Amino acid sequence: MLIAGNNISFSYDFDGSSLALQNVDIRIEQGEFVAILGCNGSGKSTLVKHFNALLQLQQGELRVAQIDARNEKDIWYLRRLCGMVFQNPDQQFVSSVVEEEIAFGLENYETPRDEIPNRIQAALALVEMSGYAKRAPNTLSGGEKQRIALAGVLALEPEIIIFDEVTAMLDPNGRQEVVEIMHKLHGAGKTIIAITHYVEEAVAADKVILMHKGRVLACGGPRAILSDLDLMREAELIPPLPVRLYHDLRQAGVHLRHCPLTDEELVEEIWQLRSKI
Ligand SMILES: Nc1ncnc2c1ncn2[C@@H]1O[C@H](COP(=O)(O)OP(=O)(O)OP(=O)(O)O)[C@@H](O)[C@H]1O
Ligand SMILES: [Mg+2]
């Protein structure tokens, strides 16, 4: 097990009066693509910030790659092992040149000087931004900025990459590019944890963790979770369009064989229906 947490509770208040996380259990395997889904304030960011010790464990147990997250001497190791990209890349940039931005992170983690240029090139290639080393981050589009922020994380060669709503501020094209890179990194063996509001982005995950009010409401395959209307309602989320259509059609007396999750599956189900008429 790469990440194993038991009974994690957390409060931002000094007196612990309101809990941002309540008795959360979590299991993430090496190489999994995990989507964490939940409405605003459900505790998604609070949970993942425990994985690389951005937040200190208050209650419960957490081991990441066998390391006890309470172990203060291992914090820097955890930070490098578990890279994190956030929603707003502008808030993450410290340099005015892309390659310096990536070098900054490497220097912070005491990467040998002669390795730095190669690491920068490799990271830019992974996010398909090889020609952008000399550019200023503020001249880039939202999607490009997000890919540079990701390159900064990838240069540190993390095992686990956490994407915290990285697509929230992007247009559909930018979103698609970033989602494709997430899947490419997963294909290359990385463990991916993607926090999202977009239920559609959870469809292709190996596992979905559904959060609500600081608790894990459900955890399982995307099909089981996303097609469960009651569960989605409880989580205050709108199911993917094909799922809604499936249930609406059922109410109207039209029964598709299976509940589709994607547009392609929906087309297939409707095609099957047509052949019966
Ligand atoms: N820095 C903070 N100080 C105080 N309370 C906080 C802080 N960050 C989050 N909270 C509170 O903790 C709870 C969980 O917030 P969290 O940011 O983890 O939710 P989230 O699921 O990531 O939400 P969003 O989708 O809006 O990013 C919320 O009630 C929130 O108001
Ligand atoms: Mg958040």
Side-chain angles (χ1 to χ4, degrees):
M1 196 67 59
L2 190 55
I3 299 180
N6 287 318
N7 230 354
I8 299 171
S9 294
F10 184 87
S11 175
Y12 286 98
D13 306 328
F14 64 94
D15 59 355
S17 55
S18 69
L19 289 174
L21 290 178
Q22 288 190 61
N23 308 105
V24 168
D25 290 337
I26 186 152
R27 301 272 176 279
I28 293 176
E29 308 265 5
Q30 172 105 35
E32 258 186 329
F33 190 120
V34 178
I36 302 184
L37 207 58
C39 64
N40 285 125
S42 55
K44 307 179 295 295
S45 299
T46 305
L47 176 61
V48 299
K49 282 178 186 164
H50 280 81
F51 299 163
N52 63 355
L54 276 180
L55 289 176
Q56 218 183 355
L57 195 65
Q58 291 174 346
Q59 252 186 66
E61 292 168 340
L62 176 64
R63 297 184 85 81
V64 178
Q66 308 301 330
I67 293 165
D68 187 334
R70 282 185 200 274
N71 250 346
E72 297 209 357
K73 68 174 174 39
D74 291 324
I75 281 183
W76 290 101
Y77 178 74
L78 276 186
R79 296 260 162 95
R80 209 191 52 72
L81 184 79
C82 202
M84 208 162 161
V85 192
F86 298 93
Q87 184 179 97
N88 187 345
D90 288 325
Q91 288 170 359
Q92 302 170 58
F93 293 139
V94 290
S95 306
S96 55
V97 182
V98 162
E99 63 183 0
E100 284 173 14
E101 177 65 34
I102 301 172
F104 179 78
L106 288 166
E107 283 159 7
N108 266 347
Y109 285 88
E110 293 170 357
T111 310
R113 283 223 147 262
D114 55 343
E115 269 186 41
I116 289 181
N118 283 341
R119 294 268 208 117
I120 294 173
Q121 286 312 318
L124 285 173
L126 274 173
V127 298
E128 289 155 31
M129 296 283 286
S130 289
Y132 289 70
K134 306 283 180 203
R135 289 280 293 271
N138 64 5
T139 63
L140 304 176
S141 74
E144 289 168 344
K145 282 180 188 166
Q146 211 41 296
R147 278 145 69 193
I148 295 302
L150 174 56
V153 167
L154 292 177
L156 301 170
E157 300 179 344
E159 254 328 287
I160 306 166
I161 308 162
I162 301 174
F163 296 88
D164 191 350
E165 309 232 19
V166 291
T167 59
M169 293 165 68
L170 305 181
D171 63 23
N173 275 342
R175 191 179 305 156
Q176 186 57 31
E177 283 165 7
V178 172
V179 168
E180 275 169 21
I181 291 170
M182 285 184 200
H183 284 283
K184 188 171 83 174
L185 293 169
H186 178 232
K190 302 284 186 194
T191 303
I192 306 290
I193 302 174
I195 294 182
T196 183
H197 268 116
Y198 295 105
V199 284
E200 290 74 15
E201 283 179 17
V203 167
D206 296 320
K207 183 158 94 189
V208 177
I209 296 171
L210 188 64
M211 296 194 67
H212 190 241
K213 295 193 172 160
R215 294 178 183 276
V216 173
L217 260 190
C219 173
R223 196 164 294 279
I225 301 227
L226 300 175
S227 60
D228 186 331
L229 283 190
D230 292 335
L231 200 54
M232 295 299 281
R233 195 174 300 124
E234 200 181 340
E236 298 178 65
L237 291 173
I238 298 170
L241 179 69
V243 172
R244 281 181 279 149
L245 210 60
Y246 168 83
H247 289 284
D248 288 349
L249 284 171
R250 258 183 114 75
Q251 283 214 321
V254 180
H255 292 255
L256 302 179
R257 295 172 316 166
H258 307 109
C259 179
L261 279 190
T262 61
D263 292 350
E264 290 75 20
E265 288 178 8
L266 176 64
V267 169
E268 172 65 24
E269 289 303 316
I270 290 177
W271 188 252
Q272 291 293 331
L273 194 67
R274 182 188 159 278
S275 63
K276 279 197 237 154
I277 299 170

